[in-house]
Every structure is written in structure tokens, then in C-alpha cells.
Amino acid sequence: MAGYKKSLVDTSRLVSDKTTMSRIVDFITRWEFIIFALIVFEAIVFSNLTPYFLDTFNLLNTTFNFSEKAILALPMIFIILSGDIDISVAAIIALSSFSMGFAASHGAETGTLIVVGLVSGLAAGLFNGVFVAILGMPSIAVTLATQSIFRGIPQAFLEDQAYTHYPEGFGYFGQGYIGNTMLPFEFFLFLVLAVITGFVLHKTTYGRKLYAIGNSATASKFSGIPVRRIRMINFALTGLFAGIAAVLLTSRIGSTRPNIALGYELEAITLVVLGGVSITGGKGNIVGVVLAVFLLGYLKFGMALLNMSAKVMIITTGALLIVAVLIPEFISMRKKKNKLKKQKNDENTEEVA
Amino acid sequence: MKELLRKREFTLFVIIAFVLVLIVIRVPAFIEMENVLRIVNDTSILIMVSLGQLAIIVTGGIDLSVGSIIAFSGMAASMLNQYHPDLSVFVVLLVGIGVGTGLGIFNALVIAFGKVPPIIATLGTLSVFRGFTFVLSKGQWVTAHEMTEKYMNLPHGHFLGLTNLIWFGIVVSLLMYGFMRYTRTGREVYAIGGNKTAALFVGVSEKKIQFVVYTLMGVLAGLAGVMWTSRFAAAVNETAIGFELQTVAACVLGGVSIAGGSGTVVGVILGALFLGILTNALPVVKLSPFYQMGLQGVVVLGAMVVNSVSAKREEKKLLERRLD
């Protein structure tokens, strides 16, 4: 009997035999819930240790420290979902910031600077896209090479110098607030971009296609998804967002050195992976990544309030990344085991009957 | 002869020779024995670590934490030398290698048994190991006058006209050549990277192979850490930052497929030497060293384009032959 039943279509996914209990277990073992719980835990611990943590002004003001990296993480979701990776994003910021500095030194106004920053970012992204999407070369190798080209250009021209003269109004984007509120413009922009990214990811066919490509690029191609074009758009978008981050960062610190934004690519990838996006592609969502931004951002803020040194933060960030991947692996292993056990039990009871 | 021409290493060799000729036309002294030996000496550390990276990339993985392993084991060895100056240099060397091995084993455990994708695991340990370097050193440096004469002479000593550092490079190269080509485990590394399913079916253990290659990388990076700090007579917290990318670049230049399954020891050595020649040639041909980064990127990208075009042509030929 059992054999007959098993040889037919697996109906376990069509007919829900879940109990309330297992639904609750499923919910609290969901990655977004775990991150959310961690944020709450973090808030409780830090607010008990220091009175300065739960303070609206502080909480909003510290977003200056992570908004640019958070913006980089958004298109990185697209890239990683479709099975690629881009380690040149920080170098694109350097190139784009250099272009703005160059333009500013030739008397460009704020409006022109922004256009220059965004266009050079977009161009760098398209450059990556040509090699990855059109020539079909592996993204990790391509962006490894292009990151040293993109950062090599400002290094060759600037050497050990820096651009430090930017027009008066340019400082608003990285330092200003929305109206008379305490809401930083950078952070507001991140929230807007996150909503747009989430919409594209979960409510449009473009988003659905990303998941399809990440699960199987070959199958996607055969079912008529323009894989090349989508990967090309992904890299172009990443370039554009790096351009946005470059505008914000340059405006915030008011100078351009060749080593600007060094290591940002690792932080952006960390945010995406910590947010539950599978590095092998095809799995993840926007909520997890946005929560990861807050988890990591406020962890650093809290540790800084407690005067913990930078090295402790480096270690914590790295450890968190590894643990973040270990935990879901562990959970899915447990779930699989339980499922197997349950199947075995079912078979046994049927045979007895 | 045809076989030789088709080989990737031969192409790279010709390119290197061509670049050398270009440089020598401008600066004849570049090819003098003394300078050639200096370039090989400068590149030895890169060769050793790149060969470790080769084994990992062939399995389809990557190790981004090598720079941090070099920094940590170099710092550990230097501090041991600083606080126990009468300890034999040989012991210090072994301790450095041991520390590197330990960190490699940590990577190996996380990747082979924790099933964490290599890029993520080593991205994490890149920060963790670097952080531990700061913790170990308390942010301090170990400088030349705190190291013993013997320790600093470790890479500089001469034997049969070559520096010890070059000898280390030669020994590691020979061992890796033998390992990858002639040992069972070495062949299994290629098997796992080439066709994992097939390899698993014939009984190759993926866990074992992953464990071996990441541990091996720890051994080589530990050795490199000792060499690095003793050669430059300084152990700083920023030692070898970004070095992981150079090792990957040497592999890619040497024709190692980033998707796994193919790549040779000879190719990687040539790739590393090419990068070394490039770095050393810049000041000689009066180009600012600030051009190095961009130029390196252009060269690596160019090599990859050549690689992918020739791979596609090969595939086409194979298809045509099958159709005939």
C-alpha cells in the first residue's frame, strides 16, 4: 500500500497537513523572524547598558554611518539572487567619486556633479555587464579584475592627492535632513529605494525571473526568459546604485581619495547574505535584507556607544556572517530529518493498518 | 609540436617573453641575472600562496581569507621571536606554519562540515582573522629592532647562489606539482571540481577534499606569513591586505578556470611571475607605481577574455568533429 501511494505524485505540497503547532514553528524559524528577534534582543541589551541607545535623535543620526552601504546592498540582492556576484561596487564608488571631483575641479555645479556621478557609475556597471552577460565570463573573476581597473583610474590620476573642493550646496545630500525633521536625507533615500526594490522584486515579472534564473539559468533560458538581458540590467543597476552611493558618500565626507569606500563591497555582500539571500541564488527577500541593515547598523552603533574597539566590531561582523549561514543550514537539516522521520512513521502506521 | 602550441601555459610563456622583450628594448639591464633573481625573489611568496589558491579554485571554491591568515601567523611568529629571542628560528618558522594551519583548519571545518559556501565562509574569516591579529598585537607593530638578526635573515640567507626565499618557493612548487599531478588526492581535487556528481559516484569524498585544500592553504599562508614579516622586517596589522585578490589574479592569468576542474601548477607559477614582472617593470620603464593597480586589472581582464574566447573556439571545434 505504502509503495503504491509513494509512486504517485507527491501530494504533500498540495494538501496542507500542517498543524497549528507546526505552522508556528515554521514561522518562528523563518529567517526574517530570527533577525527581527535579534534586533529586539540587541535593543534590550544595549538600552540596559547605556541610556543613550534608545534615543530618537541618536537612532536616526547613526543612519549616516550605514545608509550608503545599505543602498549598495539593494541591487546586490538582484545580483546574488540570479547567481552572480559583484565585488567591484566599492571601486565603482571610487571611480564615480573621482569623476565628480574632476568635474568639480573644472567648475561644475551641484546638478552637473550628480549627473556625472550617476552616469559614471552606470557606465562602470555596463562595462561589467558586457563581460559577464554578453561574453559569458564568470562574474567573480570579471569584477575582481574590473575593481582594480575602476580603482586604478583614480589612483593613477590622483596618486597621493585628493579632491577636496566641492560646491556649497553639494553637502546637502550626505549631510542634510528632510525639511525640519530629524530624518537624514540619505536614510530617507534608502527607505524609498528599498520600497522600490522590494516592489520590483516581489510584485513584477522581472523579480520572478530573477528567482527563476537563480534556480536554474539553463531552464530559464529554455522557458524564454532573456537571461542575458536581465543579467546585463542587474549589473547596470548595481553600477547606478553605486553611483548614488558615491554622490552621498562624497557629499558627506566632502573629499575624494583613491581609497574611498575601501571594503564596502564586503559589507554590502554581508548585509545581503545576513538578510537570508542564498549565495547560490534563487532564495531570499527584501524584508530580510532591510532587517539585516538595521541589525548590523545598530549593533555597530551600540558597540561604539560602549566604547568597544574597531577590532571587536570586525570580528563580530565576520562571525555573524558565518553564523548567519550556519543557522539556516542547521534548521533545514533538522526539518529534513523530521520530515523523514514523519514519513517513516506514516508508513509504519499504514502497514499496521 | 601542435600539442605544445595548443597548451595554455605555452601561450602565457610567449606573452611573458614578448612583454620582456618590450621592456628589455627600453631598459636592457632588466634582463640581467641580478634583476631576474630579484623579481623571482619578490614573487616567491605570491607563487606559494597562489598554488594553495589553485587547489581551492580547482575544487570550485575560493579563499578570500589568505591575506588575514598571512597577517595573523606572521604576527604570531614575529611576537614569538620578539619575546623569546633565544628560541631557534626553525621553531619560530614551525610555529608560524602551525598557526596558519590552525586557521586553515577552521576554514576547512566551516566549509566542509558546516556546508557554508566557501566565498561566504572565507569572507567572514577575512574579518575575523584580521580582527584577531589586532587583538593579538594589541594594535602594536613588531619592528626591525625587536626581531632577532637570525629571524630577519631567514628569507635572505643564500644557498647555492639563490636566496632561501626562492628555495622555499621552489620546494613548494615541486611539492605542489607532485601533489596535484601524481597523488590520488590531487587527482580527486580535479575530479570534484570537474564533475562533482560523477566524482561522488565513484567514491570521492567531497568533505575530505575540501578539508585537505583549505588546510593546505593554511599551511602555505602560515609559511608565507613568516616569510613576509621576516623579509620586510616588520609585522604590522595591515600585512597582506588585498593579497587574496592577487593570488586569484595569478590563478586566472595562469589559465585556472574559476568554475573549477582545470588549472595547472606551471600555469599558476607563470601567472604569478607575470604579475611580478609587471610590478617590477613599472619603475624601470619610468611609469608611476600608481599605475600598477589599473594595469594589473587590464592584464587580468585581457587574459580572461583570451581564455574564454579560446575555450569557446575549442568547444566549437569539438562539436564540429563530432558532427563529421
Side-chain angles (χ1 to χ4, degrees):
Chain A
M1 279 303 278
Y4 167 74
K5 204 178 164 192
K6 249 177 25 192
S7 66
L8 279 176
V9 189
D10 177 20
T11 54
S12 59
R13 289 175 72 177
L14 303 174
V15 186
S16 171
D17 55 348
K18 280 181 181 163
T19 58
T20 327
M21 191 58 208
S22 75
R23 278 213 188 102
I24 293 175
V25 170
D26 273 3
F27 182 72
I28 59 173
T29 52
R30 273 189 61 155
W31 188 238
E32 299 84 67
F33 185 83
I34 295 177
I35 300 192
F36 183 71
L38 281 174
I39 295 177
V40 173
F41 175 71
E42 189 181 287
I44 293 171
V45 170
F46 282 129
S47 57
N48 272 320
L49 290 173
T50 157
Y52 305 106
F53 186 79
L54 282 185
D55 174 279
T56 321
F57 177 74
N58 279 350
L59 287 179
L60 281 174
N61 226 44
T62 194
T63 59
F64 279 117
N65 294 321
F66 59 76
S67 291
E68 294 119 11
K69 294 167 196 162
I71 287 175
L72 281 184
L74 295 174
M76 193 67 91
I77 304 175
F78 290 7
I79 294 260
I80 294 183
L81 260 185
S82 53
D84 284 318
I85 195 142
D86 188 343
I87 44 181
S88 71
V89 279
I92 297 181
I93 293 186
L95 179 65
S96 165
S97 179
F98 165 74
S99 313
M100 284 187 281
F102 183 78
S105 71
H106 287 74
E109 285 308 313
T110 302
T112 325
L113 286 186
I114 292 171
V115 174
V116 167
L118 298 186
V119 168
S120 52
L122 181 66
L126 285 169
F127 186 76
N128 279 335
V130 168
F131 292 98
V132 176
I134 297 180
L135 293 177
M137 287 152 60
S139 54
I140 181 167
V142 169
T143 54
L144 178 71
T146 56
Q147 67 107 19
S148 84
I149 298 177
F150 295 155
R151 204 181 277 283
I153 294 171
Q155 200 161 65
F157 281 91
L158 276 175
E159 305 202 337
D160 51 359
Q161 303 296 305
Y163 286 126
T164 50
H165 293 288
Y166 286 95
E168 196 86 342
F170 186 63
Y172 172 76
F173 303 98
Q175 301 168 18
Y177 297 84
I178 298 286
N180 279 327
T181 63
M182 291 191 288
L183 187 67
F185 173 78
E186 278 197 323
F187 184 57
F188 176 71
L189 186 63
F190 161 67
L191 292 178
V192 171
L193 291 174
V195 169
I196 297 173
T197 309
F199 180 79
V200 172
L201 199 57
H202 299 297
K203 298 286 172 203
T204 65
T205 52
Y206 188 83
R208 295 314 299 166
K209 286 171 186 166
L210 290 175
Y211 286 91
I213 295 173
N215 276 310
S216 171
T218 321
S220 308
K221 203 171 161 190
F222 282 122
S223 41
I225 296 174
V227 177
R228 277 187 182 187
R229 198 194 308 155
I230 287 183
R231 290 174 78 198
M232 186 77 191
I233 295 174
N234 282 348
F235 277 94
L237 271 180
T238 308
L240 181 66
F241 274 58
I244 297 174
V247 171
L248 298 176
L249 182 60
T250 313
S251 155
R252 182 158 67 86
I253 60 181
S255 74
T256 301
R257 281 175 208 286
N259 66 356
I260 188 174
L262 201 66
Y264 272 32
E265 72 278 8
L266 300 188
E267 296 220 22
I269 295 170
T270 304
L271 286 174
V272 175
V273 173
L274 194 61
V277 179
S278 156
I279 196 79
T280 47
K283 225 167 69 185
N285 64 48
I286 184 81
V287 180
V289 176
V290 172
L291 286 176
V293 166
F294 290 117
L295 177 66
L296 210 57
Y298 287 122
L299 180 67
K300 284 188 179 169
F301 171 60
M303 286 164 75
L305 277 184
L306 294 176
N307 270 332
M308 288 190 190
S309 61
K311 61 200 175 196
V312 180
M313 289 190 212
I314 299 177
I315 298 174
T316 321
T317 316
L320 207 57
L321 179 64
I322 297 175
V323 173
V325 184
L326 272 174
I327 292 177
E329 175 69 28
F330 184 70
I331 291 174
S332 79
M333 244 158 57
R334 283 299 287 268
K335 275 187 183 165
K336 241 186 239 165
K337 236 186 206 165
N338 282 342
K339 215 175 164 187
L340 274 176
K341 222 191 242 166
K342 214 178 151 207
Q343 260 178 15
K344 238 182 187 170
N345 280 341
D346 285 355
E347 279 171 25
N348 286 343
T349 48
E350 265 172 54
E351 263 160 32
V352 170
Chain B
M1 188 65 198
K2 235 183 187 172
E3 192 81 341
L4 186 72
L5 281 176
R6 274 228 330 263
K7 269 207 169 156
R8 160 89 208 158
E9 291 78 33
F10 185 74
T11 326
L12 186 59
F13 185 75
V14 171
I15 295 175
I16 292 180
F18 180 70
V19 172
L20 265 181
V21 168
L22 282 186
I23 300 169
V24 170
I25 289 175
R26 281 193 67 169
V27 188
F30 194 74
I31 200 94
E32 273 169 21
M33 201 57 197
E34 196 186 329
N35 195 49
V36 170
L37 281 181
R38 208 185 66 218
I39 294 174
V40 176
N41 193 43
D42 279 350
T43 320
S44 286
I45 294 179
L46 180 61
I47 291 177
M48 292 191 281
V49 185
S50 300
L51 289 176
Q53 193 71 270
L54 162 75
I56 288 175
I57 295 182
V58 167
T59 65
I62 195 160
D63 190 341
L64 298 176
S65 70
V66 280
S68 303
I69 299 184
I70 291 176
F72 187 84
S73 46
M75 181 60 80
S78 303
M79 286 176 70
L80 183 67
N81 181 248
Q82 181 188 1
Y83 290 111
H84 300 279
D86 24 274
L87 218 56
S88 149
V89 177
F90 187 67
V91 175
V92 177
L93 177 66
L94 283 185
V95 168
I97 295 175
V99 169
T101 312
L103 299 185
I105 289 178
F106 182 80
N107 276 339
L109 287 176
V110 173
I111 292 163
F113 295 98
K115 293 266 177 293
V116 178
I119 184 167
I120 294 306
T122 56
L123 193 61
T125 51
L126 167 101
S127 315
V128 174
F129 296 163
R130 182 70 64 182
F132 279 137
T133 312
F134 278 91
V135 172
L136 178 71
S137 69
K138 301 199 176 68
Q140 302 290 308
W141 295 7
V142 183
T143 50
H145 65 269
E146 287 156 340
M147 292 177 177
T148 62
E149 203 66 28
K150 272 193 184 141
Y151 184 70
M152 289 187 284
N153 269 332
L154 184 61
H156 297 296
H158 279 257
F159 178 70
L160 293 182
L162 298 178
T163 60
N164 290 346
L165 185 54
I166 296 184
W167 279 113
F168 273 111
I170 291 175
V171 170
V172 167
S173 301
L174 287 177
L175 286 177
M176 282 302 288
Y177 185 80
F179 169 70
M180 294 297 280
R181 232 180 136 90
Y182 297 112
T183 68
R184 188 193 167 111
T185 313
R187 299 319 293 173
E188 286 178 352
V189 170
Y190 285 97
I192 283 286
N195 188 337
K196 195 159 109 184
T197 322
L200 293 177
F201 270 120
V202 297
V204 178
S205 159
E206 194 193 8
K207 272 186 193 164
K208 178 189 133 193
I209 295 302
Q210 282 185 329
F211 194 85
V212 168
V213 292
Y214 289 96
T215 307
L216 184 65
M217 180 52 126
V219 175
L220 294 174
L223 173 64
V226 177
M227 289 297 143
W228 193 302
T229 49
S230 55
R231 170 153 192 253
F232 297 110
V236 300
N237 297 298
E238 292 83 7
T239 301
I241 276 190
F243 196 63
E244 62 279 359
L245 298 186
Q246 286 211 23
T247 62
V248 178
C251 288
V252 170
L253 264 179
V256 180
S257 158
I258 211 89
S262 75
T264 65
V265 169
V266 178
V268 172
I269 294 173
L270 287 174
L273 279 176
F274 191 32
L275 287 180
I277 291 172
L278 223 55
T279 315
N280 276 278
L282 282 182
V284 179
V285 295
K286 304 235 160 50
L287 264 177
S288 145
F290 290 103
Y291 279 79
Q292 188 197 330
M293 192 174 195
L295 204 61
Q296 198 168 307
V298 171
V299 167
V300 174
L301 192 64
M304 284 193 305
V305 172
V306 172
N307 253 356
S308 96
V309 169
S310 67
K312 269 186 193 144
R313 195 180 290 161
E314 199 102 308
E315 220 168 83
K316 220 174 161 187
K317 252 191 209 153
L318 221 67
L319 208 66
E320 273 166 10
R321 210 182 294 161
R322 215 183 282 170
L323 289 176
D324 278 344

